[in-house]
Amino acid sequence: PKINHATVNAICGAVGECAALVFTYPIDTLKVRCQTQGVGAVATLRSMLGHGPRHAFNSLYSGVVPAALMAMAMGATYLSIFGAVQSFSQKAVDRIQNKRVAAESAGHAGSEWRESSTVASGAAAAASSVIIACLELPMEMVRLRMQAGTVNCSFWQHLRIACEDLGRSGGLMTYLAPCLIKEVPQDAAEFGTYSALTRAWDSFMPGKSDSSPGADWIIAAGAGMAAALVSTPADVLKTRMTCQSNAALHTGTFGCFRNYACAANSVYQERGLLGFYSGLGPRLIKVPSTVVYWVSLEATRRLLQRVCEIEGDQETGSHTKQ
């Protein structure tokens, strides 16, 4: 079968995002409980198990099915946007650096995250994060509240309520600002690091780099650790704000910054500077989610390249300097 470039990105993004979410959903739930309750991971897990294994399982996987479906849709959309923005960003970087990309050596279609520069990948990831955050915000609110144990109705019922609350209270900016403050540097660090490490590996193993799936695990782990360290403080504040009721938050354009300052002050008063890294343990343990995402994504790309004819795919790809 013949498929186009955009379809490759969409399929890879959907598979990678869904696999990563399902694999590490319990760890993410544990992280959310730690950040909202201000206690350690061991104490949180002990509290869940105190009500029985079945209750603990249901708590750890609360909302996983609709979240996985939404993750597939958002993953496909994200990587599709990333591919378009990356192409534009790479051309701009090449112009600035006086490079010319040979049109006949465009490389493998659907592998922009491997072949683009660190700057282009980081810029494309940041731009994609802004767009996706606007689409994903209501679903992210519901997922976090279900994981925190503050939702008593179904995912879809609360999604409707969340959308109504956002529109009625002007809460879009209230929740969007902290989300962007976390997601933009996280994705830029992850994609930029992945691109840099991949290009380094390509230089070390020319001609064989794309046939070494084992390297994907190491590169993805490095990207995940960089993203976690950069974004954990913002993630703590975003989680605190998201799990508060609308009545407790200031609205309006500048209200989000007041909410952010109040959340930061609250965290500092409770635990000092270390409070901004609450849940860092679960977040670093969650690095395998990044590994699962990239390994699944790369495996899907290689499979599609084997079984499908991809428009624009070439056997080799290189940048010709001038």
Side-chain angles (χ1 to χ4, degrees), residues 67 160 263 281:
R160 177 181 57 81

Side-chain angles (χ1 to χ4, degrees), residues 48-79:
M48 290 181 180
L49 290 172
H51 297 281
R54 185 181 182 86
H55 173 81
F57 180 86
N58 291 337
S59 297
L60 290 172
Y61 280 97
S62 178
V64 66
V65 174
L69 295 175
M70 291 298 181
M72 291 181 69
M74 291 298 105
T77 305
Y78 183 97
L79 214 59

Side-chain angles (χ1 to χ4, degrees), residues 166-220:
L166 287 173
R168 185 168 52 245
S169 66
L172 181 60
M173 273 300 298
T174 300
Y175 291 107
L176 184 58
C179 184
L180 291 177
I181 291 173
K182 175 221 169 185
E183 296 294 341
V184 171
Q186 173 178 290
D187 286 1
E190 180 180 328
F191 276 76
T193 302
Y194 190 87
S195 176
L197 293 177
T198 299
R199 289 164 70 85
W201 178 251
D202 289 347
S203 299
F204 181 69
M205 295 286 290
K208 298 182 180 179
S209 59
D210 200 38
S211 60
S212 305
D216 295 341
W217 294 77
I218 300 174
I219 294 172

Side-chain angles (χ1 to χ4, degrees), residues 38-320:
V39 296
V42 175
T44 301
L45 190 58
R46 186 182 295 119
S47 175
M48 290 181 180
L49 290 172
H51 297 281
R54 185 181 182 86
H55 173 81
F57 180 86
N58 291 337
S59 297
L60 290 172
Y61 280 97
S62 178
V64 66
V65 174
L69 295 175
M70 291 298 181
M72 291 181 69
M74 291 298 105
T77 305
Y78 183 97
L79 214 59
S80 297
I81 296 172
F82 176 87
V85 177
Q86 180 276 337
S87 179
F88 175 83
S89 300
Q90 186 63 56
K91 290 177 182 177
V93 170
D94 288 333
R95 283 196 215 96
I96 293 172
Q97 297 179 348
N98 295 319
K99 291 181 181 179
R100 178 174 57 84
V101 182
E104 67 276 11
S105 300
H108 288 298
S111 59
E112 296 91 340
W113 49 86
R114 296 184 65 90
E115 298 171 355
S116 63
S117 69
T118 302
V119 174
S121 290
S128 301
S129 295
V130 173
I131 298 172
I132 289 298
C134 297
L135 301 174
E136 194 178 25
L137 180 59
M139 293 172 284
E140 178 74 359
M141 288 174 59
V142 178
R143 182 183 66 81
L144 286 174
R145 290 175 179 179
M146 293 190 77
Q147 289 180 315
T150 60
V151 174
N152 296 320
C153 55
S154 71
F155 184 97
W156 304 108
Q157 289 174 321
H158 197 77
L159 180 60
R160 177 181 57 81
I161 295 172
C163 291
E164 291 175 354
D165 287 344
L166 287 173
R168 185 168 52 245
S169 66
L172 181 60
M173 273 300 298
T174 300
Y175 291 107
L176 184 58
C179 184
L180 291 177
I181 291 173
K182 175 221 169 185
E183 296 294 341
V184 171
Q186 173 178 290
D187 286 1
E190 180 180 328
F191 276 76
T193 302
Y194 190 87
S195 176
L197 293 177
T198 299
R199 289 164 70 85
W201 178 251
D202 289 347
S203 299
F204 181 69
M205 295 286 290
K208 298 182 180 179
S209 59
D210 200 38
S211 60
S212 305
D216 295 341
W217 294 77
I218 300 174
I219 294 172
M225 292 182 67
L229 291 173
V230 166
S231 63
T232 292
D235 184 46
V236 171
L237 301 182
K238 185 205 77 168
T239 302
R240 283 289 186 101
M241 292 173 60
T242 301
C243 293
Q244 285 183 319
S245 65
N246 281 355
L249 297 174
H250 301 286
T251 59
T253 303
F254 296 102
C256 60
F257 297 105
R258 293 180 62 188
N259 295 326
Y260 205 78
C262 289
N265 181 64
S266 176
V267 171
Y268 183 78
Q269 292 297 326
E270 289 176 7
R271 301 187 62 187
L273 292 176
L274 290 178
F276 293 97
Y277 280 89
S278 296
L280 178 60
R283 283 211 85 198
L284 289 176
I285 294 174
K286 196 190 165 191
V287 166
S289 72
T290 304
V291 176
V292 170
Y293 173 82
W294 285 108
V295 170
S296 300
L297 185 149
E298 295 286 11
T300 303
R301 175 181 63 84
R302 293 185 180 104
L303 176 63
L304 291 174
Q305 288 175 339
R306 284 199 300 268
V307 303
C308 300
E309 179 183 353
I310 304 173
E311 295 177 1
D313 203 5
Q314 302 290 334
E315 280 302 314
T316 59
S318 61
H319 286 78
T320 303

